[in-house]
């Protein structure tokens, strides 16, 4: 199943198309109830739910980022809650102005979990979504990255622009990247309602010393971060997509978001190609350290320079694996799945 963001004319359309996993033959839409916008999704079969997020209208983001497109409603603010068995849209949760561009959405990996997190790009906020006693879902903001007042940038205030989040397989840590500010953060989510930051590292970004942007007010930093070099190469972009090793000890980072936006905000990445980096993770108390011996330079690809984006492990990873509990059975009748769950012996 693949989520959609637009139709053939470039108009926004949040839907899902399905393919045979062996022959790749197109098998039709997953649902007949489309949402206004589309992007990412996660599903919990044992809870009979799929929740999708919203980026925006292709005719807007293909041109690069324009604040006027936000004002005119061309970017989404909703989470869309579907019945997994009935493929039916049940609920739309409006995250409001603070939830513009909800991108990566992650349930906790525990297959019986009824909560998770979504990163909202523009204003760099993380919302926790959760199931209420009546069976419906709600969302609350639990992390907010303050903007920085700047000179020499597109706007007078620079938001974080949170572009990727993920949760470790043991559901202990949440990680995300701020593509404008240039940092990756690690949060302890043992208490999901009150995440606690335990690690942070800057890897380029738009506020590095010596760049065109001057920070004139910052509620978090006392000075702008230094440029970062790996194997003699200065990082010209900013951390964007991330992927965590299964043991939680290695966090991999790439720095290309979307080529029109790369050209707008990090033109040297678009020109010279992107990189992949490795961050060593402290899984005991928290902490992030750059591995200076690891660098994949996609500018040197034979058909490059190339722009690297998603990172995936062939055998499954922290942002694509969805687990079933022990004792879970799924029975189909008239093409409708009915789920029965017994508590897992282990996950």
């Amino acid at each position: 199943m693949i989520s959609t963001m637009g139709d053939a004319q470039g108009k926004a359309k949040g839907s899902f198309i399905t393919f045979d996993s062996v022959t790749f033959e197109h098998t039709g839409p997953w649902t007949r109830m489309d949402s206004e916008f589309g992007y990412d999704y996660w599903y919990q079969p044992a809870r009979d739910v799929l929740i999708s997020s919203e980026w925006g209208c292709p005719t807007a983001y293909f041109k690069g980022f324009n604040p006027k497109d936000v004002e005119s409603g061309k970017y989404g603010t909703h989470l869309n809650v579907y019945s997994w068995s009935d493929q039916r849209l049940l609920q739309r949760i409006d995250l409001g102005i603070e939830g513009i561009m909800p991108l990566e959405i992650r349930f906790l990996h525990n297959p019986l979990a009824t909560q998770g997190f979504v990163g909202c790009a523009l204003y760099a906020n993380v919302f926790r979504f959760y199931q209420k006693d009546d069976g419906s879902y709600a969302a609350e903001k639990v992390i907010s990255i303050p903007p920085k007042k700047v000179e020499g940038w597109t706007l007078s205030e620079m938001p974080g622009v949170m572009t990727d989040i993920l949760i470790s397989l043991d559901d202990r840590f949440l990680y995300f990247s701020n593509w404008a500010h240039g940092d990756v953060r690690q949060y302890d989510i043992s208490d999901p309602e009150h995440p606690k930051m335990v690690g942070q590292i800057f890897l380029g970004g738009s506020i590095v010393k010596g760049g065109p942007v001057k920070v004139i007010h910052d509620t978090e930093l006392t000075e702008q971060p230094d440029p970062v070099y790996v194997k003699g190469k200065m990082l010209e972009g900013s951390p964007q997509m991330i992927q965590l090793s299964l043991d939680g000890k290695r966090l991999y980072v790439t720095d290309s978001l979307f080529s029109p936006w790369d050209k707008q905000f990090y033109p040297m990445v678009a020109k010279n190609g992107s990189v992949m980096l490795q961050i060593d993770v402290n899984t005991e108390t928290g902490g992030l350290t750059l591995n200076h011996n690891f660098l994949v330079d996609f500018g040197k690809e034979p058909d490059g320079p190339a722009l690297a984006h998603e990172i995936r492990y062939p055998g499954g990873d922290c942002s694509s694996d969805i687990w079933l509990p022990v004792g879970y059975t799924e029975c189909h009748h008239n093409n409708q799945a009915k789920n029965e769950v017994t508590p897992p012996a282990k996950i």
Side-chain angles (χ1 to χ4, degrees), residues 38-77:
Y39 188 66
D40 193 24
Y41 66 96
W42 197 278
Y43 56 95
Q44 289 282 67
R47 297 304 186 188
D48 194 30
V49 65
L50 176 149
I51 303 181
S52 67
S53 61
E54 301 182 336
W55 185 10
C57 181
T59 56
Y61 59 69
F62 264 98
K63 298 182 297 183
F65 175 68
N66 186 336
K68 292 182 179 179
D69 289 332
V70 176
E71 298 171 5
S72 60
K74 293 184 179 179
Y75 287 95
T77 63

Side-chain angles (χ1 to χ4, degrees), residues 5-320:
M5 294 186 286
D7 62 16
Q9 288 73 45
K11 297 179 181 178
K13 181 179 181 179
S15 190
F16 310 89
I17 53 176
T18 61
F19 298 84
D20 185 284
S21 60
V22 176
T23 67
F24 292 101
E25 179 184 358
H26 180 215
T27 53
W30 179 77
T31 180
R32 298 292 179 181
M33 301 179 69
D34 301 332
S35 57
E36 185 177 4
F37 299 98
Y39 188 66
D40 193 24
Y41 66 96
W42 197 278
Y43 56 95
Q44 289 282 67
R47 297 304 186 188
D48 194 30
V49 65
L50 176 149
I51 303 181
S52 67
S53 61
E54 301 182 336
W55 185 10
C57 181
T59 56
Y61 59 69
F62 264 98
K63 298 182 297 183
F65 175 68
N66 186 336
K68 292 182 179 179
D69 289 332
V70 176
E71 298 171 5
S72 60
K74 293 184 179 179
Y75 287 95
T77 63
H78 288 78
L79 300 182
N80 302 292
V81 182
Y82 287 85
S83 163
W84 175 247
S85 60
D86 294 334
Q87 298 97 48
R88 183 166 56 91
L89 181 61
L90 304 176
Q91 182 185 357
R92 300 190 72 214
I93 304 171
D94 189 357
L95 304 178
I97 189 70
E98 293 186 312
I100 290 177
M101 302 183 202
L103 297 185
E104 309 300 332
I105 185 166
R106 309 280 184 253
F107 261 97
L108 296 180
H109 290 98
N110 184 328
L112 297 179
T114 56
Q115 63 180 319
F117 299 90
V118 59
C120 300
L122 185 57
Y123 296 121
N125 294 314
V126 175
F127 281 76
R128 180 183 78 99
F129 60 87
Y130 59 96
Q131 189 176 40
K132 300 193 295 183
D133 292 340
D134 64 3
S136 65
Y137 280 79
E140 60 177 355
K141 185 178 68 173
V142 292
I143 301 173
S144 183
I145 307 303
K148 304 177 188 299
K149 292 185 179 181
V150 297
E151 295 177 347
W153 199 64
T154 306
L155 304 171
S156 60
E157 283 197 344
M158 182 189 291
V161 189
M162 182 186 299
T163 50
D164 196 13
I165 72 169
L166 65 78
I167 298 172
S168 61
L169 278 184
D170 60 4
D171 289 339
R172 183 183 171 194
F173 293 113
L174 170 74
Y175 300 86
F176 62 78
S177 56
N178 289 312
W179 192 61
H181 291 175
D183 60 321
V184 175
R185 303 194 187 202
Q186 176 191 25
Y187 281 74
D188 188 320
I189 54 170
S190 301
D191 178 359
E193 296 181 44
H194 303 96
K196 178 182 178 183
M197 189 171 79
V198 292
Q200 181 183 29
I201 187 170
F202 278 85
L203 301 171
S206 296
I207 61 168
V208 294
K209 290 179 181 177
V213 176
K214 179 181 180 181
V215 179
I216 58 177
H217 181 70
D218 192 334
T219 60
E220 294 186 311
L221 303 178
T222 57
E223 60 179 348
Q224 294 178 230
D226 293 319
V228 177
Y229 293 82
V230 181
K231 292 190 172 182
K233 178 181 177 65
M234 187 179 81
L235 303 184
E236 298 172 312
S238 183
Q240 206 283 109
M241 299 306 290
I242 54 178
Q243 186 57 259
L244 188 66
S245 62
L246 301 184
D247 62 6
K249 295 181 179 180
R250 299 175 308 283
L251 185 69
Y252 295 96
V253 181
T254 56
D255 59 357
S256 171
L257 194 158
F258 181 53
S259 57
W261 293 38
D262 294 343
K263 293 174 183 176
Q264 182 179 2
F265 293 100
Y266 296 104
M268 297 307 293
V269 170
K271 177 182 177 181
N272 298 328
S274 63
V275 298
M276 182 167 70
L277 308 171
Q278 179 184 313
I279 300 172
D280 295 327
V281 179
N282 183 328
T283 58
E284 298 297 325
T285 58
L288 304 174
T289 305
L290 178 64
N291 184 333
H292 285 273
N293 295 316
F294 183 99
L295 174 71
V296 180
D297 187 350
F298 290 92
K300 297 181 179 180
E301 286 295 300
D303 296 321
L307 298 175
H309 187 71
E310 296 275 10
I311 307 167
R312 289 286 183 266
Y313 292 131
D317 53 51
C318 295
S319 56
S320 62

